[in-house]
């Protein structure tokens, strides 16, 4: 179901899915391949019984029954004088899996070196212990999704996967925006979803701000009165013209 945060059990299926049901039905019996045989698919048994509201198999299909959708087939024999029913049967069932929600996640930017390490390496160890709670909790209701049916995967900005053990509770990184994917276990484990597990993704930006370095500054000592003024007042003139350049390296 999509989008993840507005789920109603309704989804759009590719026309290929409906065509596959139709083609398999026709191939299931030799008589169905006769040129006089007409096959129509329907969303309800009553429609199939009357031939009303056939599904257009050339178009993508939106289910009308939330979560599960029965597909019924009407097979008719159209000869020159009459139309006879050759079969009426449920030939398929479509399933709409719920999609997990990856809620927006943020983390405070940090200054390089503020943990007492090398202040010029661009790295910082972020506290990520609260990320999962942010990721899975609806900010409007405070309700957290069931973590036991979810798989959470992290990806660096270059697309490489981050092992979970390297991400939480602390994550050492440079400035980058990572991707977090949340996948949910299938509701119908015996049904294979050709697109894989349903998932949602969000991004998380880590910012390591550069920290300026202040280099040591020394000024030559002076003797009181060396400036030509009163030599007993404790004051003297110092040349500070190079202090800024020395301070910044």
């Amino acid at each position: 179901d999509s989008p993840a945060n507005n789920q109603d059990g309704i989804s759009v299926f590719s026309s290929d899915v409906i065509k596959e049901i139709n083609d398999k039905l026709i191939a299931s019996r030799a008589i169905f391949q006769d040129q006089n045989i007409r096959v129509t698919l329907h969303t309800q048994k009553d429609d199939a019984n009357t031939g009303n509201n056939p599904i257009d198999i050339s178009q993508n299909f939106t289910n009308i029954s939330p979560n599960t959708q029965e597909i019924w087939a009407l097979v008719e024999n159209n000869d020159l004088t009459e139309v006879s029913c050759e079969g009426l049967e449920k030939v398929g069932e479509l399933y709409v899996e719920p999609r997990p929600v990856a809620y927006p996640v943020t983390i405070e930017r940090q200054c390089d070196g503020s943990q007492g390490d090398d202040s010029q390496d661009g790295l910082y160890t972020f506290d990520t212990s609260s990320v999962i709670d942010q990721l899975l909790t609806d900010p409007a209701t405070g309700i957290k999704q069931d973590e036991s049916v979810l798989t959470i995967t992290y990806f660096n900005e270059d697309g490489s996967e981050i092992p979970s053990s390297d991400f939480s509770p602390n994550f050492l990184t440079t400035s980058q925006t990572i991707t977090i994917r949340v996948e949910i276990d299938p509701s119908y484990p015996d049904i294979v979803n050709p697109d894989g597990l349903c998932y949602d993704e969000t991004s998380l930006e880590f910012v390591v701000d550069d920290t300026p370095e202040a280099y040591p500054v020394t000024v030559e000592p002076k003797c009181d009165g060396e400036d030509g003024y009163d030599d007993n007042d404790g004051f003297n003139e110092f040349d500070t013209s190079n202090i800024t350049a020395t301070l910044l390296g």
Side-chain angles (χ1 to χ4, degrees):
D1 201 358
S2 182
N5 59 355
N6 185 27
Q7 301 188 50
D8 54 9
I10 303 298
S11 190
V12 178
F13 294 82
S14 166
S15 61
D16 293 340
V17 174
I18 306 302
K19 288 177 183 176
E20 182 180 0
I21 294 174
N22 185 75
D23 292 347
K24 284 185 175 180
L25 174 62
I26 293 174
S28 66
R29 292 182 61 185
I31 190 176
F32 291 166
Q33 301 170 46
D34 189 282
Q35 62 179 355
N36 293 327
I37 294 296
R38 177 172 178 263
V39 176
T40 55
L41 302 180
H42 305 264
T43 57
Q44 301 180 60
K45 183 178 181 180
D46 288 345
D47 283 344
N49 194 39
T50 59
N52 292 331
N53 303 313
I55 298 172
D56 183 352
I57 66 172
S58 68
Q59 301 294 320
N60 291 340
F61 171 75
T62 301
N63 58 303
I64 61 172
S65 175
N67 302 315
T68 60
Q69 175 67 63
E70 294 181 343
I71 302 295
W72 287 81
L74 172 64
V75 182
E76 296 177 314
N77 187 354
N78 298 284
D79 62 23
L80 294 176
T81 58
E82 63 177 346
V83 176
S84 61
C85 178
E86 293 290 341
L88 174 67
E89 188 175 353
K90 185 176 80 170
V91 293
E93 193 161 7
L94 304 178
Y95 299 88
V96 179
E97 289 274 9
R99 187 186 296 268
V101 183
Y103 291 103
V105 181
T106 59
I107 199 163
E108 288 188 2
R109 62 196 303 153
Q110 300 293 339
C111 293
D112 191 5
S114 63
Q115 293 172 315
D117 55 354
D118 184 349
S119 63
Q120 297 300 313
D121 62 359
L123 292 167
Y124 190 89
T125 302
F126 288 85
D127 179 0
T128 54
S129 58
S130 65
V131 166
I132 289 180
D133 282 343
Q134 285 189 66
L135 180 72
L136 302 183
T137 302
D138 185 341
T141 63
I143 298 175
K144 182 179 178 181
Q145 297 167 87
D146 183 3
E147 194 174 343
S148 68
V149 297
L150 302 175
T151 300
I152 302 172
T153 312
Y154 310 93
F155 299 94
N156 284 307
E157 202 166 68
D158 63 6
S160 60
E161 185 174 339
I162 305 168
S164 296
S165 58
D166 290 349
F167 183 79
S168 184
N170 298 295
F171 180 45
L172 176 65
T173 184
T174 59
S175 293
Q176 67 163 326
T177 300
I178 71 166
T179 298
I180 306 177
R181 173 178 291 191
V182 181
E183 294 177 310
I184 190 170
D185 293 345
S187 301
Y188 310 95
D190 296 332
I191 305 298
V192 177
N193 184 342
D195 297 325
L197 295 177
C198 294
Y199 68 89
D200 192 24
E201 290 182 340
T202 191
S203 60
L204 174 56
E205 183 180 20
F206 292 92
V207 178
V208 183
D209 288 317
D210 187 30
T211 299
E213 289 199 63
Y215 292 95
V217 177
T218 58
V219 177
E220 285 188 20
K222 298 287 184 178
C223 294
D224 194 4
E226 190 175 331
D227 56 0
Y229 296 103
D230 186 345
D231 61 359
N232 289 307
D233 61 1
F235 289 92
N236 212 319
E237 288 187 353
F238 293 85
D239 180 2
T240 58
S241 61
N242 294 321
I243 284 182
T244 299
T246 304
L247 180 69
L248 301 180

